[in-house]
Amino acid sequence: MTTRTMATHETVATPDGPFSIVTRADGAVLASGWTASVDTLLARIAPDLRPAALEPGHSAAADAVCAYYDGDLAAIDAVPVAQHGGEFRMRGWAELRRIRPGHPQSYTEFAAAIGNPRAVRAAASVCATNAPALFVPCHRVLRTDGTLGGFAWGVDVKKSLLAREAAAA
């Protein structure tokens, strides 16, 4: 858990629309997604991690997003994130970062990877509550039948990200 302090926000243009990031002073991403609304991102941050104040600023995370969209899919891997949740969620968010671009998993495979193959709905909830989108690539998890399923930032964005990653894999 972290002390609530100042954080910065930034929005960069991407082919999938505006991408905003809320970052702690240490560079860890608290929340991110395809929106220009900082308030939308703040609502996704766990209360224990929500910053006390927010100001515009630049972050290395924004550089990583630009590099990702320029074809360096691994650029997002080293960006630190800050999340708060129970043991299952924390394991799940860590596992999402291990899914390689171009090799999506089904929710069933994802549930098994985090230790409970029957917990498919709980695994889906891990994805749904993931605040630092892209850096924790929940878009790489699909329905068991191979269809896209939902995505907080829209199925069109998910489809675009998966196509970009498949082409590069």
Side-chain angles (χ1 to χ4, degrees):
M1 212 170 317
T2 308
T3 304
R4 292 174 43 151
T5 59
M6 174 68 73
T8 61
H9 68 89
E10 180 174 11
T11 301
V12 296
T14 76
D16 295 317
F19 185 86
S20 295
I21 308 163
V22 174
T23 312
R24 286 192 321 206
D26 66 0
V29 175
L30 293 166
S32 54
W34 291 265
T35 180
S37 170
V38 175
D39 289 338
T40 297
L41 294 182
L42 287 174
R44 295 183 62 81
I45 300 171
D48 291 352
L49 294 177
R50 201 167 292 142
L54 195 60
E55 65 184 12
H58 181 70
S59 68
D63 295 335
V65 171
C66 293
Y68 171 90
Y69 274 99
D70 285 342
D72 180 6
L73 301 181
I76 60 172
D77 296 344
V79 174
V81 298
Q83 292 173 286
H84 178 74
E87 182 182 338
F88 186 79
R89 284 191 195 286
M90 295 302 287
R91 273 198 330 263
W93 291 325
E95 184 59 33
L96 285 169
R97 295 197 91 178
R98 288 190 275 279
I99 301 173
R100 296 180 329 190
H103 301 279
Q105 292 182 355
S106 71
Y107 285 108
T108 302
E109 292 168 327
F110 177 56
I114 53 180
N116 191 343
R118 294 185 320 213
V120 176
R121 286 182 188 252
S125 176
V126 167
C127 293
T129 57
N130 175 43
L134 188 61
F135 303 102
V136 178
C138 57
H139 65 275
R140 295 180 186 157
V141 182
L142 308 172
R143 287 184 175 156
T144 303
D145 66 3
T147 57
L148 295 180
F151 187 55
W153 307 107
V155 175
D156 289 342
V157 172
K158 184 173 184 171
K159 181 188 270 186
S160 173
L161 295 170
L162 291 171
R164 173 179 271 80
E165 294 176 357

